[in-house]
Amino acid sequence: MTPNTGVAWLTGEEDAAWRGWIEATQRIAAAIEHDLRNDSGLTFDDYEVLVTLSEADGRAQRMSELAMSTVQSASRLSQRIDRLADRGLVERRPCEEDKRGWFAVLTDEGLASLAAAAPGHVESVRRNLFDHLSPDDVVTLAEMMPRLASSFHAARAHADD
Amino acid sequence: MTPNTGVAWLTGEEDAAWRGWIEATQRIAAAIEHDLRNDSGLTFDDYEVLVTLSEADGRAQRMSELAMSTVQSASRLSQRIDRLADRGLVERRPCEEDKRGWFAVLTDEGLASLAAAAPGHVESVRRNLFDHLSPDDVVTLAEMMPRLASSFHAARAHADD
DNA sequence: GGAATATGATTCAAACTTGAATCAATCTAT
DNA sequence: ATAGATTGATTCAAGTTTGAATCATATTCC
C-alpha cells in the first residue's frame, strides 16, 4: 500500500485519520439511517429535505436550491420529491418569476411527520455520535466540519479558474 | 427545530458540529467517489473491498468477515463480489473448514486494478480532505475517528446486555 | 444420534441512484 | 427580433441497495 508512484502517499497519521474517518462516518450514517427508517419510515435524505423545507421561508424552496442544500443531484431530488409528494408530505408549486422553475413546499402533514420523527432521531444522533465525544471534541468538530464543508462552496465559486 | 418533547435536544455547538458533519462527510464522500469512478471505473466500495483483500492473508477473506471490515450488508457484499468476479478482479473459493463458508480472493488482475487506481485516489483524498486540514487537525482526527468507529465494535460485543 | 436452532451465504423483488437525454423557458448578442 | 447558448427541471434505462426469504451446513442439547 505504499508504492513508488511519485504521488505524495498518506503518512501514518493521515492513514489512521482516513481509515478512521471512513469507518466512523459509514457506521454512524448507517446506524442513524437504520434507526430513522425503523422509527419513522423516513430515510435520512427524506428527513434532511423535510428539515430544510421546515426552516425555509414559507416552508418552500426551489428545486435547484434544495438539491444544493441537501447535497444531492437534481435527478435524485426530483424523484425523492415525487415519492414525498405521493405520501402527501410535500407539494410542488410552479414558480411565477421563472416559468421553468418549481418550488417544493412542506405540507402540514410533512411538518407533522418531521415533528414525530425528530425526538427519536435526535436520540439516535446522541447515542451514535455525541455520547462518544467530550465537550472539547464537540467544539473541535463545530469548527472543523463546517470548514471542510465550505471548501466545496469556495471550489464551486472558482470552478473555472 | 427545538420543540418541547422531553428529548435532550442538540445544543448550539452540537447542532453546528452535526450539520457540519453531515455536509462535510457527504460532500467529501461524493467528491472522492466521483473522482474514483471517473479515473478508475471502481466505486469507493469496490476500492475498499480490493484494499482489504490486498492486505489480508493470502489476499483472501471470508465473506462475513469482509462484510464487517468494509461496513456493508452480507447481501450487498455478495452482489458486489458477483460484479467484481464478472470483471475478473476477485474470485470465490469455498472454505474447507466450514462447508457453508466462502472466501473472496483478490486476483492478480484485481491487484493490478487497485495499483492503477491508488495514486489518483490518494491525490483525490488529499485534495478533498487533507489539503484543508492542519497537522494538528490530522492528529485530532487520527485519535477521534477510530475511537468513534470502535464504539460500534464494543456495541456489537454486548449487543445482548 | 436426531430434532431444534443457529449460522454463512445467496437470491429475489421492490425501492433507490446514476448520468445521459430531453424539454421548455430564459438569456445573450447580434 | 431572433438564432444560439444556457438554465431549471424532469424522464429514462441501467445499475445498485435493501431487507426478507431461502437454502445448506453446523451446533446445541436432550
Side-chain angles (χ1 to χ4, degrees), chain B residues 1-80:
Chain B
M1 273 302 289
T2 310
N4 261 335
T5 49
V7 169
W9 218 250
L10 298 184
T11 65
E13 199 89 49
E14 286 169 338
D15 193 56
W18 176 232
R19 287 174 190 242
W21 175 287
I22 294 169
E23 184 178 352
T25 60
Q26 287 185 157
R27 286 201 194 275
I28 289 170
I32 290 175
E33 167 98 38
H34 183 268
D35 287 348
L36 189 57
R37 282 174 103 110
N38 280 334
D39 297 349
S40 73
L42 296 170
T43 66
F44 185 71
D45 286 340
D46 290 340
Y47 188 90
E48 279 208 287
V49 164
L50 299 185
V51 168
T52 302
L53 290 178
S54 78
E55 293 174 345
D57 261 27
R59 291 191 202 159
Q61 211 170 56
R62 286 285 293 274
M63 293 298 287
S64 48
E65 204 185 341
L66 188 54
M68 283 190 292
S69 35
T70 60
V71 191
Q72 49 192 323
S73 68
S75 152
R76 181 171 168 181
L77 175 64
S78 184
Q79 293 178 82
R80 181 172 310 291

Side-chain angles (χ1 to χ4, degrees), chain B residues 8-160:
Chain B
W9 218 250
L10 298 184
T11 65
E13 199 89 49
E14 286 169 338
D15 193 56
W18 176 232
R19 287 174 190 242
W21 175 287
I22 294 169
E23 184 178 352
T25 60
Q26 287 185 157
R27 286 201 194 275
I28 289 170
I32 290 175
E33 167 98 38
H34 183 268
D35 287 348
L36 189 57
R37 282 174 103 110
N38 280 334
D39 297 349
S40 73
L42 296 170
T43 66
F44 185 71
D45 286 340
D46 290 340
Y47 188 90
E48 279 208 287
V49 164
L50 299 185
V51 168
T52 302
L53 290 178
S54 78
E55 293 174 345
D57 261 27
R59 291 191 202 159
Q61 211 170 56
R62 286 285 293 274
M63 293 298 287
S64 48
E65 204 185 341
L66 188 54
M68 283 190 292
S69 35
T70 60
V71 191
Q72 49 192 323
S73 68
S75 152
R76 181 171 168 181
L77 175 64
S78 184
Q79 293 178 82
R80 181 172 310 291
I81 294 295
D82 285 347
R83 297 187 294 266
L84 290 172
D86 285 347
R87 297 163 65 184
L89 306 185
V90 304
E91 282 170 2
R92 267 186 246 254
R93 191 156 52 63
C95 173
E96 291 312 324
E97 290 73 42
D98 184 338
K99 293 292 186 56
R100 294 167 304 184
W102 290 85
F103 287 94
V105 191
L106 185 65
T107 63
D108 289 346
E109 203 183 335
L111 187 59
S113 288
L114 178 59
H121 176 58
V122 170
E123 183 278 322
S124 170
V125 171
R126 274 206 180 291
R127 179 163 35 76
N128 288 295
L129 177 60
F130 290 110
D131 284 357
H132 308 284
L133 295 175
S134 72
D136 276 359
D137 290 338
V138 176
V139 172
T140 300
L141 289 178
E143 187 278 321
M144 187 190 299
M145 289 296 182
R147 170 159 49 91
L148 285 171
S150 73
S151 74
F152 291 90
H153 311 175
R156 212 175 148 275
H158 4 108
D160 39 14

Side-chain angles (χ1 to χ4, degrees), chain A residues 95-137:
Chain A
C95 174
E96 292 311 324
E97 290 73 44
D98 183 340
K99 294 291 185 62
R100 296 166 302 182
W102 290 84
F103 287 94
V105 191
L106 186 64
T107 63
D108 289 345
E109 202 183 336
L111 187 60
S113 290
L114 178 59
H121 176 59
V122 171
E123 182 276 323
S124 170
V125 171
R126 272 204 182 291
R127 179 164 34 77
N128 288 295
L129 178 59
F130 290 111
D131 284 356
H132 308 283
L133 295 175
S134 72
D136 277 0
D137 289 338

Side-chain angles (χ1 to χ4, degrees), chain A residues 51-128:
Chain A
V51 168
T52 303
L53 290 178
S54 78
E55 294 173 345
D57 261 27
R59 291 193 202 159
Q61 209 170 57
R62 287 285 294 273
M63 292 298 287
S64 49
E65 205 185 340
L66 188 54
M68 284 190 291
S69 34
T70 60
V71 189
Q72 50 192 324
S73 67
S75 153
R76 183 172 167 179
L77 176 64
S78 184
Q79 295 177 81
R80 181 172 309 289
I81 294 294
D82 285 347
R83 295 188 294 265
L84 289 172
D86 284 347
R87 297 163 65 185
L89 307 185
V90 303
E91 283 171 1
R92 266 186 247 255
R93 191 155 51 64
C95 174
E96 292 311 324
E97 290 73 44
D98 183 340
K99 294 291 185 62
R100 296 166 302 182
W102 290 84
F103 287 94
V105 191
L106 186 64
T107 63
D108 289 345
E109 202 183 336
L111 187 60
S113 290
L114 178 59
H121 176 59
V122 171
E123 182 276 323
S124 170
V125 171
R126 272 204 182 291
R127 179 164 34 77
N128 288 295

